[in-house]
Amino acid sequence: MVNNEEDSDVDAEDTTEIDAVELVDAVEPAEGCEDAVAQEEEEAEPVAQTPEFSYPKWYTLRMEAVAFQNEKLQDIAKNHKDPNAQLLAMQMGVFSPYENAEEAIAVWQALAEKFDADFVATYITPELERIELVHTRTLNNEALVPGQKVPAFTLANLDGDDVSLYDLAGTKDMVLIDFWASWCGPCIATFPELKKLHAAYTDENFEIVGVSVDDNLEDWSGGVEDHQLPWVQLGELKDADNGSPVSVSYGINFIPSTFLIDSQGCIYRKNIHTSELKDFLVDRYGMDESLVEPEEEPEETPEISS
């Protein structure tokens, strides 16, 4: 129900304060992380020029129509005098939580002042909290660039023992943090190559730390067993109902998400493809690119003469 006590217009410039990791200047590396930035700049390849591509006329017209529709709906959401019209426009998802989060948050907050408490709790607060969470994750993710340090965390492994990321990383040369889940097809697709790299470079103090974001322990342990994952496994499971603080602090909005760090927690690469990871490790450790040792042929059983 509409609360008529206040009927103020929405100021699109108003934003809410988000409890996020403070954004940092990527030009200034964190203390002790200068090598991470220097190496990334040294290995950076020039961006290839992509050939010009033109969409079919029907597609261009369709996108123009969608843009026109969104523009009108956004205007209704921000400026219409009827809160019900504003609410309907917002429920149509006219603001992307990834691109227009601050505008969406401002509108939802203003709408919360125009409806009664029960209505707000049922229809507005959940949407507002969802967008605020996505926005927080996005800001945190943008702050975690090569040359910065990853947030510290401690999570339990499958045996229930707590493992500190920084304690583990301190005993290694390089660590790949891999956020994944048992239901994630793209995550699973990386496992064969990651297994080869893990086997080849374990003696060089390279480690992988998988962080499962599965719904429950059964799904997580089943995924590890099904795919025979040999590296460190930690879990931040949704059924713990603790708000997933590690995933939030790392800005995980999609998986797989990876961070390649050194023993000090400095980020060297972010969301690195397995082929790029292979090149990085080969360059760092000077190992042959074959990675996999040839299998030994079984010895022939000598014939027994009669």
Side-chain angles (χ1 to χ4, degrees):
M1 298 295 293
V2 176
N3 179 357
N4 291 319
E5 293 181 1
E6 295 185 11
D7 190 21
S8 59
D9 291 335
V10 176
D11 184 354
E13 297 301 320
D14 288 343
T15 59
T16 185
E17 292 186 1
I18 301 296
D19 182 18
V21 173
E22 183 179 356
L23 290 176
V24 292
D25 187 353
V27 177
E28 295 295 333
E31 183 178 354
C33 296
E34 293 80 7
D35 288 346
V37 174
Q39 188 171 84
E40 188 198 31
E41 292 176 348
E42 181 180 336
E43 296 181 3
E45 297 181 357
V47 178
Q49 294 293 326
T50 56
E52 292 186 6
F53 175 80
S54 58
Y55 289 103
K57 184 65 175 179
W58 66 266
Y59 183 83
T60 302
L61 291 173
R62 178 184 177 185
M63 296 309 296
E64 289 176 355
V66 170
F68 179 80
Q69 173 181 281
N70 283 344
E71 180 182 352
K72 295 302 180 183
L73 287 172
Q74 288 178 6
D75 182 62
I76 291 172
K78 292 188 290 186
N79 302 315
H80 203 283
K81 294 182 178 180
D82 183 354
N84 293 292
Q86 291 180 289
L87 179 65
L88 179 60
M90 291 299 291
Q91 289 176 333
M92 295 177 70
V94 296
F95 292 106
S96 166
Y98 302 98
E99 299 174 2
N100 311 105
E102 293 181 350
E103 288 183 281
I105 289 169
V107 175
W108 281 120
Q109 287 180 328
L111 282 174
E113 301 296 325
K114 300 180 180 182
F115 291 87
D116 63 42
D118 289 341
F119 188 91
V120 169
T122 303
Y123 296 102
I124 294 180
T125 300
E127 285 299 313
L128 180 58
E129 291 178 346
R130 180 182 67 85
I131 293 176
E132 286 178 333
L133 178 58
V134 171
H135 189 44
T136 297
R137 289 177 184 248
T138 300
L139 292 178
N140 290 347
N141 190 274
E142 290 174 352
L144 295 177
V145 295
Q148 301 304 316
K149 290 189 176 183
V150 294
F153 65 76
T154 298
L155 291 171
N157 60 21
L158 283 168
D159 294 325
D161 299 323
D162 287 340
V163 177
S164 162
L165 171 68
Y166 271 79
D167 286 350
L168 186 150
T171 66
K172 304 296 179 180
D173 182 56
M174 300 298 297
V175 173
L176 181 73
I177 307 170
D178 179 28
F179 287 85
W180 72 286
S182 62
W183 46 262
C184 171
C187 303
I188 295 169
T190 67
F191 291 161
E193 189 65 20
L194 288 180
K195 286 182 182 180
K196 293 179 183 178
L197 296 173
H198 185 262
Y201 292 105
T202 295
D203 291 343
E204 303 292 341
N205 272 334
F206 167 68
E207 185 57 88
I208 301 175
V209 175
V211 179
S212 168
V213 294
D214 273 299
D215 291 334
N216 52 63
L217 178 61
E218 182 179 2
D219 291 344
W220 172 28
S221 60
V224 173
E225 182 177 355
D226 289 345
H227 302 290
Q228 293 295 295
L229 304 181
W231 47 82
V232 176
Q233 290 294 332
L234 307 178
E236 185 173 57
L237 307 179
K238 292 182 180 178
D239 66 0
D241 198 25
N242 61 358
S244 303
V246 176
S247 296
V248 172
S249 67
Y250 276 71
I252 306 302
N253 279 321
F254 63 87
I255 54 175
S257 288
T258 60
F259 297 84
L260 182 64
I261 66 172
D262 66 6
S263 60
Q264 302 301 312
C266 300
I267 302 172
Y268 275 64
R269 297 291 185 276
K270 178 178 175 181
N271 294 327
I272 186 172
H273 191 275
T274 51
S275 62
E276 296 172 327
L277 176 61
K278 176 182 176 180
D279 291 341
F280 178 94
L281 296 175
V282 169
D283 289 342
R284 188 172 184 86
Y285 301 119
M287 187 177 293
D288 186 84
E289 293 189 38
S290 62
L291 296 177
V292 180
E293 296 181 0
E295 296 183 2
E296 296 182 2
E297 296 184 2
E299 296 182 1
E300 295 184 3
T301 304
E303 295 183 1
I304 301 176
S305 57
S306 56

